[in-house]
Amino acid sequence: MNEKTLDSAAAGGPAAELVTAGLLVIGDEILSGRTKDKNIGYIAEYLTALGIDLEEVRVVPDVEAEIVAALNALRHRYTYVFTTGGIGPTHDDITADAVAKAFGVPLDVDPRAVDLIAERVGRDGLNAARLRMARIPRGADLVDNPVSKAPGFWIGNVIVMAGIPTVMQAMLDSVAPKLATGVKLSSETVRANLREGDIGTELGQVAKQHPDVMIGSYPFTDEAGHPNTNLVVRGRDPHKLAAAKAAVEAMLVAVRATLATPRE
Amino acid sequence: MNEKTLDSAAAGGPAAELVTAGLLVIGDEILSGRTKDKNIGYIAEYLTALGIDLEEVRVVPDVEAEIVAALNALRHRYTYVFTTGGIGPTHDDITADAVAKAFGVPLDVDPRAVDLIAERVGRDGLNAARLRMARIPRGADLVDNPVSKAPGFWIGNVIVMAGIPTVMQAMLDSVAPKLATGVKLSSETVRANLREGDIGTELGQVAKQHPDVMIGSYPFTDEAGHPNTNLVVRGRDPHKLAAAKAAVEAMLVAVRATLATPRE
């Protein structure tokens, strides 16, 4: 179940408390497997902790039309869109061009960005490649980059960040205090000590009886090498969350009792 | 640059040699950050090695309408679509339902899948939850799961796999011999020993002069703690690849000479 399907009562307040996000990962190197993405999981966890629900991720190549299309699909749908990658100084860094195109605004060399980059490389180091990193879509705010200076930017509901994880993480810290956030989704994990296939039907019944929480089932191999299952209950209302967790625990006790009874 | 923009001559033969793929990752747990995806990078590298170009990835929640929409967007666009996740025995495993809906076919309990699951849990263990895993869209072929038996499936150009990495990897091995594959994309990496911002403009010129290869630039911090850059040249024609690599190396020599000259 998706957060969107929760009614506002379950969310603990008005619907405006639901803040959503999409993530657009940009780069041929992720799609070729040369670089293993480390940003999706980090951003997912970070936004969840803030009370922002990441609802969709897309990974697209360094192709302007693909970036523009994905950006337009996501930005009209979610409260925020975060992008990673493609804001460096080389010819394959075309994210700023694509964002400017999506918003229909000019892409100018921004004196604020030039000053920041000069802090790192000096005025002498401001060659054409580095000035490329200072091109910011008109009307955007800069996103501070305490790691390597060249800034990200924020235009409309789109926040453009670097692809290098340390830089991306610093940029996310820079924007986090300015983001609207919703009521945090709390979660409780219950270890089943049963195989997923032993509890699937009963768990589905519990899920149906507790429509205002989300219940996920995640099989894993435990330390004894046995197939085991973690059941994760998530919700915004602490009472409903506690009730659903208790129902899951009661279900597990009942299933264990059944399995302990020899079959006829 | 994207493989699609390479002309067929660069690809070393007719356009049919270009085989593409989209990947659909299904699961709330990836979007909440609870589970860190390990499949995207694995599949990207695996397909690249086979000569299949992964062109797009989407991550969507356990919501049928979202899965159906993403599946339909991807399957009409790429040679293959691979999916991961959502084929277990619990209520939140709805991938098979969504795929059947996307193809407009019934979702029946498949005797072939029942037999496979029974191999693992015995006929006595075939409860309603496990039979859920035997529901296969009509007309699909099964994808062998040597790890835990419950099969994936292949319908049209869509290959549905488990989300658990070990199971997904085994399923990928099962289908790989049956996939059409293109001419492999070869790549050469040149370590620049220069900062990305020192070579961006010159590299862009090399890229323009070698339109039939893709040139990517990937900054990293080297073992001495200095900002450094890997330049990756990729292409299907070995002669064009070698020529572009040589041009990159010549460019680096030229830039290093310029930087060694004191500024006036």
Side-chain angles (χ1 to χ4, degrees):
Chain A
M1 194 199 291
N2 186 268
E3 284 86 306
K4 275 190 173 164
T5 63
L6 293 173
D7 63 34
S8 58
E17 292 190 6
L18 201 58
V19 179
T20 62
L23 169 60
L24 182 60
V25 174
I26 299 162
D28 287 353
E29 70 277 20
I30 305 295
L31 292 169
S32 73
R34 185 188 179 277
T35 300
K36 302 294 181 290
D37 169 81
K38 289 174 184 155
N39 292 334
I40 295 173
Y42 184 92
I43 292 170
E45 198 166 3
Y46 194 103
L47 294 180
T48 299
L50 284 179
I52 297 175
D53 296 339
L54 181 62
E55 305 242 332
E56 182 175 354
V57 180
R58 296 194 191 187
V59 186
V60 297
D62 299 320
V63 176
E64 189 177 273
E66 298 295 328
I67 303 170
V68 171
L71 203 56
N72 283 334
L74 296 174
R75 75 190 178 94
H76 294 303
R77 199 160 177 208
Y78 305 112
T79 314
Y80 297 111
V81 176
F82 296 84
T83 79
T84 64
I87 61 167
T90 55
H91 65 283
D92 55 342
D93 291 305
I94 59 170
T95 299
D97 306 72
V99 173
K101 198 160 204 173
F103 280 89
V105 299
L107 183 67
D108 306 315
V109 169
D110 187 311
R112 300 169 299 170
V114 174
D115 289 347
L116 287 167
I117 296 166
E119 279 181 32
R120 181 170 161 93
V121 299
R123 291 279 153 190
D124 282 354
L126 288 174
N127 59 17
R130 293 202 175 93
L131 287 174
R132 195 177 159 78
M133 292 193 285
R135 297 176 314 144
I136 305 289
R138 195 175 296 170
D141 289 326
L142 301 190
V143 170
D144 199 29
N145 167 5
V147 175
S148 53
K149 294 298 176 186
F153 56 88
W154 179 338
I155 180 168
N157 64 337
V158 175
I159 294 152
V160 173
M161 306 187 292
I164 299 172
T166 51
V167 179
M168 185 285 294
Q169 292 167 18
M171 288 180 170
L172 203 50
D173 288 339
S174 299
V175 296
K178 298 170 196 161
L179 295 170
T181 54
V183 176
K184 282 181 203 175
L185 200 57
S186 298
S187 80
E188 295 275 2
T189 298
V190 180
R191 179 176 158 138
N193 290 328
L194 287 167
R195 295 191 291 182
E196 202 180 25
D198 288 328
I199 55 174
T201 306
E202 295 79 359
L203 184 69
Q205 288 160 356
V206 173
K208 245 182 213 160
Q209 287 155 6
H210 296 266
D212 297 332
V213 301
M214 289 154 279
I215 303 181
S217 173
Y218 306 109
F220 68 103
T221 302
D222 66 22
E223 54 288 349
H226 298 306
N228 202 329
T229 314
N230 274 321
L231 302 174
V232 179
V233 186
R234 296 189 301 148
R236 293 179 208 282
D237 179 314
H239 301 291
K240 290 181 176 175
L241 186 62
K245 186 190 178 192
V248 166
E249 288 169 334
M251 177 275 290
L252 290 173
V253 169
V255 171
R256 281 192 209 105
T258 315
L259 292 178
T261 309
R263 285 198 180 81
E264 303 185 12
Chain B
M1 192 198 291
N2 186 267
E3 284 85 307
K4 275 192 175 162
T5 63
L6 292 174
D7 63 35
S8 58
E17 293 191 4
L18 201 59
V19 180
T20 62
L23 169 61
L24 182 59
V25 174
I26 299 162
D28 287 354
E29 70 277 19
I30 305 295
L31 292 169
S32 73
R34 184 186 180 279
T35 301
K36 302 295 181 290
D37 169 80
K38 289 173 184 156
N39 292 333
I40 296 172
Y42 184 92
I43 292 170
E45 199 166 2
Y46 193 102
L47 294 180
T48 299
L50 284 179
I52 297 175
D53 295 340
L54 180 62
E55 304 243 333
E56 182 176 354
V57 180
R58 297 195 190 185
V59 186
V60 297
D62 298 320
V63 175
E64 188 177 273
E66 298 295 328
I67 302 170
V68 171
L71 203 56
N72 282 335
L74 296 173
R75 75 190 177 96
H76 294 303
R77 198 159 179 209
Y78 304 112
T79 314
Y80 297 113
V81 176
F82 295 85
T83 79
T84 65
I87 61 167
T90 56
H91 64 285
D92 54 341
D93 291 305
I94 59 170
T95 298
D97 307 73
V99 174
K101 197 161 203 173
F103 280 88
V105 299
L107 183 66
D108 305 317
V109 169
D110 186 311
R112 299 169 300 171
V114 173
D115 288 347
L116 288 166
I117 296 167
E119 278 181 31
R120 182 171 161 94
V121 300
R123 291 278 155 189
D124 282 354
L126 287 175
N127 59 18
R130 293 201 175 93
L131 287 173
R132 196 178 158 78
M133 292 193 286
R135 297 177 314 143
I136 305 289
R138 195 175 295 171
D141 289 325
L142 300 190
V143 171
D144 198 29
N145 167 6
V147 175
S148 53
K149 294 297 176 187
F153 56 88
W154 180 339
I155 181 169
N157 64 337
V158 175
I159 293 152
V160 173
M161 306 187 292
I164 300 174
T166 51
V167 180
M168 184 285 294
Q169 291 168 19
M171 288 180 170
L172 204 49
D173 287 339
S174 299
V175 296
K178 300 169 195 161
L179 295 169
T181 54
V183 177
K184 282 182 204 175
L185 200 57
S186 300
S187 81
E188 294 275 1
T189 299
V190 179
R191 179 176 159 139
N193 290 328
L194 287 168
R195 295 190 291 183
E196 200 180 26
D198 288 328
I199 55 175
T201 305
E202 294 79 0
L203 184 68
Q205 287 159 356
V206 174
K208 245 181 213 159
Q209 288 156 6
H210 296 266
D212 297 331
V213 302
M214 291 155 277
I215 303 182
S217 172
Y218 307 108
F220 68 102
T221 301
D222 66 22
E223 54 288 349
H226 298 306
N228 203 328
T229 314
N230 274 321
L231 302 174
V232 178
V233 187
R234 297 189 301 149
R236 294 179 208 281
D237 179 315
H239 301 290
K240 290 181 177 176
L241 186 63
K245 185 189 179 195
V248 166
E249 287 169 335
M251 176 276 291
L252 291 172
V253 170
V255 171
R256 282 193 208 104
T258 316
L259 292 176
T261 310
R263 284 198 182 81
E264 302 186 15

